Amino acid sequence: MHDAMDSLTTSQVAEHADVNIHTVRYYEKRGLLPEPPRMSARYRQYGTEHVSHLRFIKRAQALGFTLEEIGELLDLRVEPGAGSEVRHKTSEKIDEIEAKIRDLKRIQAKLMELADACEHHGSSDSCRVLDALEDPAKR
């Protein structure tokens, strides 16, 4: 018996994976999504594995992986014994995120300092936030 999920159109696979049609086509073009077989009328015929693949990509993006990194993870999905490589890539992503967090905390501290300096000034002429954002060449 033929399962209805083994013969999905582009719009149906997009709907099941909670993405839009352009995303499906883009991932195909990037080589992240295997190209499905075509029916006689040249329509793409997707299956459940395509929905699963799309969901994997979206979850990996939500964790901060780039499309290039996701492509590497997809390749590792089918490689026996790739656990240590996946762990390594995950550790690299953690290090990258920790660096971003440090940068964001530094930015937050500077903005808080500038906002505190502005709090006691009524006019924009004496606000250090605006001074800090000015082009140094104009000072």
Side-chain angles (χ1 to χ4, degrees), residues 114 116-131:
L114 292 170
D116 287 346
C118 264
E119 190 175 308
H120 308 294
H121 303 288
S123 74
S124 62
D125 295 341
S126 57
C127 181
R128 288 186 50 212
V129 173
L130 298 175
D131 290 342

Side-chain angles (χ1 to χ4, degrees), residues 2-134:
H2 194 57
D3 185 357
M5 284 289 285
D6 287 334
S7 183
L8 302 170
T9 65
T10 305
S11 61
Q12 289 170 326
V13 78
E15 183 180 334
H16 285 289
D18 200 25
V19 298
N20 67 51
I21 293 171
H22 301 291
T23 301
V24 174
R25 290 185 181 136
Y26 181 70
Y27 290 165
E28 278 182 12
K29 187 187 293 187
R30 292 277 314 247
L32 295 172
L33 185 66
E35 191 171 321
R38 294 182 184 264
M39 297 181 345
S40 59
R42 298 199 23 95
Y43 291 106
R44 290 172 172 91
Q45 189 173 356
Y46 296 91
T48 55
E49 72 279 1
H50 291 96
V51 174
S52 175
H53 218 85
L54 287 164
R55 289 178 179 163
F56 178 94
I57 294 167
K58 296 312 287 181
R59 284 191 298 268
Q61 280 183 310
L63 292 173
F65 288 99
T66 65
L67 290 180
E68 183 177 329
E69 292 165 335
I70 292 168
E72 294 169 3
L73 291 173
L74 286 167
D75 289 343
L76 291 172
R77 252 174 79 172
V78 295
E79 190 175 306
S84 64
E85 183 64 21
V86 172
R87 189 174 5 274
H88 175 71
K89 290 187 178 304
T90 303
S91 293
E92 286 179 339
K93 184 53 64 179
I94 291 168
D95 292 345
E96 182 183 311
I97 289 169
E98 287 174 345
K100 286 179 183 180
I101 289 170
R102 283 190 302 275
D103 286 345
L104 288 171
K105 286 183 177 182
R106 180 187 51 76
I107 292 167
Q108 178 188 35
K110 185 63 177 175
L111 286 171
M112 289 172 74
E113 176 187 318
L114 292 170
D116 287 346
C118 264
E119 190 175 308
H120 308 294
H121 303 288
S123 74
S124 62
D125 295 341
S126 57
C127 181
R128 288 186 50 212
V129 173
L130 298 175
D131 290 342
L133 297 174
E134 279 296 329

